[in-house]
Amino acid sequence: MRFAIPNGFSHGGEFFTYLKDSLSYLIEEGKRGTPKMMSVGLHCRLVGRPGRAKALEDFLDFAMSFGDDVWICRRDEIASHFYKNHYPEGCGNDSVPMENSTKMRSSL
C-alpha cells in the first residue's frame, strides 16, 4: 500500500529500487548462512498501472538473474515445500492426503 499513502512510492522507479535493494540485502544475509524469505504484497489497482507494472517486471527480471539463488513462487508452493521438507514427523495425520485435508477444513 506504499503507493496509496503519503510518503510512499511516487513512481515505479522508487518501487523497483526498494525491491532490488531489499533482495540484494537478503541475498547477502543468505550467503552468510541465514537464508531469508522476501514477500512482495501486490494489489492489482495499484501495481497494475503501467509504470508500476514495469517496475515489477524489472524487479522480476532482476530476481531471476540470480538463478537458483532466488526461488520465485506462489504461496501454495511455499506451503508444499515446507510440508515436504520441514514438517515435524508425527505431527498431523500423514494417512490423509493434503487434498482431502483441504476439503475437510473448507467444510468445517
Side-chain angles (χ1 to χ4, degrees):
M1 293 300 294
R2 297 297 298 171
F3 283 117
I5 59 175
N7 302 319
F9 304 117
S10 64
H11 56 83
E14 290 178 342
F15 183 52
F16 169 71
T17 299
Y18 174 79
L19 294 175
K20 180 179 73 82
D21 291 349
S22 297
L23 181 60
S24 296
Y25 191 84
L26 292 174
I27 287 172
E28 289 304 312
E29 282 188 345
K31 289 178 181 177
R32 293 191 299 268
T34 54
K36 304 289 188 231
M37 183 178 98
M38 179 176 171
S39 180
V40 179
L42 303 172
H43 188 284
C44 60
R45 271 192 310 142
L46 299 176
V47 81
R49 296 176 185 256
R52 296 171 184 163
K54 175 65 173 139
L56 178 61
E57 180 181 29
D58 290 346
F59 171 71
L60 290 172
D61 289 342
F62 174 75
M64 288 188 289
S65 74
F66 288 95
D68 290 339
D69 288 341
V70 173
W71 179 34
I72 300 171
C73 58
R74 298 180 316 263
R75 291 183 286 185
D76 63 313
E77 293 171 311
I78 295 168
S80 179
H81 172 80
F82 179 85
Y83 185 81
K84 291 175 185 173
N85 297 286
H86 304 288
Y87 200 74
E89 285 188 41
C91 291
N93 186 351
D94 292 336
S95 65
V96 178
M98 286 183 68
E99 61 272 5
N100 289 341
S101 62
T102 303
K103 289 176 187 172
M104 287 190 314
R105 277 192 216 110
S106 65
S107 66
L108 294 177

